[in-house]
Amino acid sequence: MDAQGRGRGENIDPADQWVLNPNTGEYELRLSPSAPQSPIPAPRGPRNTGAGNPRARSASPDQAPERPGRASPERETPGRDVPPQRRRRGAPEEPPGRRGRKPAKGKKAKKVLLWTSGTVAFLVLATGVGGYLYLEHLNDNITSVSDDGASTGGFKKDQAINILLIGTDKRTGAGNEGYGDKGSEGHADTTILLHVSKDRSNATALSIPRDLIVDIPDCPTQQEDGSEKVIPGSIGARFNTSLGQSGRTPSCTMRTVTELTGIKPDNFMVADFNAVKTLTSAVGGVEVCLGKDINDPDSHLNLPKGTHRIEGEQALAFVRTRHSVGLGGDLSRIELQQQFLSSLMRELKSNDTLTSPSKMIKLAEAGTEALTVDSQLNSINKLKDLGMELGKLNVKNLTFTTIPVVDNPAEKIKATVVLDESKAPEVFDLIRNDVSFTEVKQQKKKEKAAVAARLKGEKAPASEVRVRVLNGGAPAGSAQSTLSWLQVDQGVSKSENGGNAPAELAKTTLEYAPDQADQARRLAEILGLSGSAMKPGESVTNSQGLPAMTLTLGKDFKGAGVSLTPPDKAPDDIKKSTADKVVCAE
């Protein structure tokens, strides 16, 4: 059965199944009109939803965590019936929990992240303590597949977040016979790398064209029987073949993105065509703007110029349209999808959605049915934690952009694209260095000022700088080439090769003692280091028994003499849009 046909109680508003028990002051789930109320048990730990079996779905979502008609013996009140109580229509709704108890200061509503087919949408689900049983039901909806070691191991609350969102064109679910390639295992039809800044003040959604020529690496892939098979890589292939083809799973798309951008995703999410249809219907439709009449027989979109509210099949037709907009290619379709996502974001952030329990439940049902997530993100609790981090974003600081590309020069009939080498590396650098594509209010000003101050002050002569150079993730031979450059070209004669560092680092660092600050400033100037790369700490003893600084070349090292100061803003010629702006498709 497809996602649209799943679920229990189709003729009952799910919000009306929660009733208030006057004895306990808590909201409780009434699974049927005749069933006595049962108190909500204390939450258990997250359920494993199939990380060990790449294609296994957990127990049917139709199976309730508790059987209707049975009350919990621990909390049942003998001799006293509790009649079902329903909130008056139009009356304000009390949140689940004890009446009269104020919510803990600083706590926010729990939030869940969902997404659409080839798109990203943030859906917020207010669950409270009384929602435990319902969360268990949602847990059973989720499908997970192995990340095959291609991720960072999962997002972290105190770090920047990178989520890979994949929309596949595989034909799955009833009503999708007319979409995608018949008999195909599907492709990475639409892919977005969502980067959320460490301070949660901004985010960048980077679209990856499906027809971009890339190198797909070898992909160790877990099979259904638990064994591992290495899917051979491919040089000069279309990006969309990184999924589905030759047995490639989403982890292979993740490896391809890492190879392409230098950014290793924390998690991935995959959805098919049903996601757009069910999620837009659950939210009550999304408003889109057309700058001209569109009648596309391929996508089946037929709408006149102006503003429209679309959902279901019409919404899917909108995000799949390409021949009738822009230049008629996949890049034009990407812009249309970004417009759609911006509108969906605004809809989800609106009070009409956030204050409607029935909408939120429908969204959660539709979203979890559409989800296929990696094995590091395989429970509602993990999705909730991720959603809470994403819920801190302001739509005006969510930027949509696309990897800069140019037509493939090797083709006479233009069908694919390649990286624009003059622009794409800078876009990747911005994301790797957690730089916002929009101007945001600077946070932690004192901390930023302290970092910048490390570069200010007197600088020692280059001849007095003592430093040991270590390789902590840079290409082989980098420490020696840097040492030669420092000694011969820059006059840093008191430098030496320290070999390999104990551990690899993502970024190059310079550690120094307080009395070496003037030396550190000089070396930072020579190397083009930013203040954030300078780490006040302790000195080490060099081969002559004298105190020296430690320069560890990280994975960001690009060669001796190449500045390591990261960009501080996006270039003006990068095409981008933000989720708070209404854009009309042409």
Side-chain angles (χ1 to χ4, degrees):
M1 183 180 294
D2 68 284
Q4 291 173 317
R6 289 178 177 158
R8 191 175 63 241
E10 294 179 357
N11 298 320
I12 301 174
D13 185 341
D16 289 336
Q17 292 181 280
W18 292 96
V19 295
L20 182 68
N21 185 334
N23 291 335
T24 64
E26 294 182 350
Y27 277 84
E28 298 170 352
L29 180 64
R30 184 175 297 283
L31 298 176
S32 70
S34 61
Q37 288 175 284
S38 299
I40 306 303
R44 299 192 303 271
R47 177 179 300 176
N48 187 323
T49 56
N53 187 345
R55 295 294 175 192
R57 180 176 289 277
S58 300
S60 168
D62 293 334
Q63 296 174 354
E66 287 189 23
R67 286 180 292 172
R70 295 188 62 180
S72 172
E74 292 87 348
R75 297 282 299 278
E76 188 173 298
T77 306
R80 184 168 182 175
D81 293 330
V82 181
Q85 297 189 15
R86 296 166 64 97
R87 178 172 52 87
R88 288 183 296 107
R89 295 195 180 277
E93 183 185 19
E94 281 191 60
R98 293 192 178 275
R99 266 187 310 184
R101 178 180 293 179
K102 294 182 179 179
K105 184 177 181 181
K107 288 190 177 181
K108 297 182 179 180
K110 295 180 181 180
K111 299 174 182 180
V112 177
L113 171 74
L114 310 174
W115 73 98
T116 66
S117 174
T119 61
V120 53
F122 307 100
L123 309 180
V124 184
L125 173 64
T127 56
V129 175
Y132 168 74
L133 287 181
Y134 187 65
L135 289 181
E136 285 292 284
H137 161 67
L138 294 178
N139 224 29
D140 290 340
N141 288 354
I142 300 173
T143 299
S144 68
V145 297
S146 176
D147 71 343
D148 297 316
S151 75
T152 63
F155 79 94
K156 297 177 178 60
K157 293 183 179 181
D158 59 346
Q159 298 295 325
I161 298 174
N162 293 294
I163 306 294
L164 189 63
L165 304 149
I166 309 168
T168 174
D169 58 359
K170 182 178 180 179
R171 291 185 181 185
T172 54
N176 292 321
E177 293 81 5
Y179 305 116
D181 297 329
K182 185 176 182 180
S184 170
E185 288 298 315
H187 306 77
D189 192 52
T190 305
T191 306
I192 294 175
L193 177 63
L194 175 67
H195 172 83
V196 184
S197 68
K198 182 177 179 179
D199 64 7
R200 308 298 184 253
S201 67
N202 66 90
T204 302
L206 180 68
S207 293
I208 304 174
R210 68 178 188 180
D211 297 325
L212 176 64
I213 297 300
V214 298
D215 292 339
I216 300 175
D218 291 345
C219 301
T221 305
Q222 182 177 332
Q223 305 299 296
E224 291 188 7
D225 61 1
S227 63
E228 183 180 283
K229 176 182 179 181
V230 177
I231 309 298
S234 181
I235 304 298
R238 290 191 190 218
F239 177 84
N240 68 347
T241 61
S242 64
L243 175 67
Q245 310 308 297
S246 304
R248 292 174 179 136
T249 65
S251 66
C252 192
T253 306
M254 182 178 276
R255 293 184 195 277
T256 304
V257 169
T258 302
E259 183 88 3
L260 173 68
T261 66
I263 302 163
K264 193 170 188 177
D266 301 305
N267 300 96
F268 66 70
M269 299 178 173
V270 185
D272 60 20
F273 293 129
N274 278 323
V276 174
K277 296 191 289 186
T278 57
L279 291 175
T280 54
S281 295
V283 80
V286 173
E287 279 196 357
V288 295
C289 179
L290 298 180
K292 65 177 181 179
D293 297 344
I294 290 183
N295 186 0
D296 188 342
D298 293 314
S299 70
H300 312 300
L301 181 67
N302 187 356
L303 288 174
K305 176 181 178 180
T307 301
H308 305 272
R309 180 167 285 273
I310 59 175
E311 62 178 276
E313 291 286 348
Q314 200 170 45
L316 179 58
F318 184 88
V319 299
R320 298 191 73 247
T321 291
R322 61 189 176 103
H323 298 302
S324 300
V325 293
L327 298 177
D330 185 54
L331 296 179
S332 297
R333 184 183 68 152
I334 286 175
E335 292 183 13
L336 201 68
Q337 291 173 343
Q338 292 174 349
Q339 174 202 338
F340 175 84
L341 285 172
S342 296
S343 181
L344 183 54
M345 277 293 296
R346 295 192 296 272
E347 187 71 35
L348 294 169
K349 286 282 189 177
S350 71
N351 287 334
D352 287 346
T353 299
L354 298 180
T355 60
S356 172
S358 60
K359 273 190 179 181
M360 299 313 300
I361 290 175
K362 289 176 183 176
L363 285 167
E365 290 284 351
T368 50
E369 287 289 354
L371 293 176
T372 298
V373 300
D374 68 85
S375 48
Q376 308 294 334
L377 196 64
N378 61 353
S379 74
I380 279 294
N381 280 338
K382 293 177 182 178
L383 286 169
K384 175 263 297 178
D385 288 342
L386 177 58
M388 289 181 71
E389 296 302 309
L390 298 173
K392 300 171 184 178
L393 290 171
N394 188 318
V395 293
K396 71 178 182 179
N397 292 323
L398 169 59
T399 302
F400 290 95
T401 190
T402 304
I403 291 179
V405 295
V406 295
D407 288 333
N408 189 346
E411 296 175 337
K412 291 183 179 180
I413 299 176
K414 304 304 180 185
T416 62
V417 293
V418 296
L419 285 183
D420 183 341
E421 295 292 351
S422 67
K423 296 180 181 179
E426 186 172 6
V427 169
F428 301 152
D429 276 348
L430 286 165
I431 295 176
R432 278 196 300 266
N433 288 287
D434 204 22
V435 178
S436 175
F437 279 62
T438 58
E439 291 188 12
V440 296
K441 183 179 180 181
Q442 295 294 320
Q443 298 184 0
K444 302 179 181 178
K445 289 184 178 180
K446 290 184 178 179
E447 180 180 337
K448 290 180 180 295
V451 169
R454 295 171 189 167
L455 296 170
K456 298 177 180 178
E458 294 185 3
K459 299 180 180 69
S463 59
E464 295 182 8
V465 173
R466 287 192 298 272
V467 60
R468 298 182 76 236
V469 183
L470 280 65
N471 191 329
S478 293
Q480 184 57 46
S481 64
T482 299
L483 180 65
S484 298
W485 176 75
L486 287 174
Q487 292 178 339
V488 176
D489 297 335
Q490 302 300 318
V492 184
S493 56
K494 297 177 181 178
S495 52
E496 62 184 37
N497 190 338
N500 291 327
E504 291 190 352
L505 300 178
K507 295 183 179 181
T508 298
T509 61
L510 174 62
E511 184 175 359
Y512 57 95
D515 61 352
Q516 297 172 317
D518 57 343
Q519 296 181 45
R521 286 190 284 268
R522 175 61 68 190
L523 190 59
E525 180 184 62
I526 292 171
L527 295 169
L529 290 177
S530 65
S532 60
M534 300 172 66
K535 305 296 181 184
E538 298 179 353
S539 63
V540 294
T541 302
N542 65 12
S543 59
Q544 296 178 338
L546 298 173
M549 300 182 294
T550 301
L551 173 66
T552 305
L553 306 178
K555 294 179 181 179
D556 64 337
F557 182 75
K558 300 175 183 177
V562 180
S563 175
L564 288 170
T565 301
D568 57 2
K569 68 175 184 177
D572 295 332
D573 58 350
I574 295 296
K575 192 171 184 178
K576 56 185 182 293
S577 62
T578 53
D580 62 323
K581 298 292 191 302
V582 177
V583 179
C584 294
E586 295 283 354

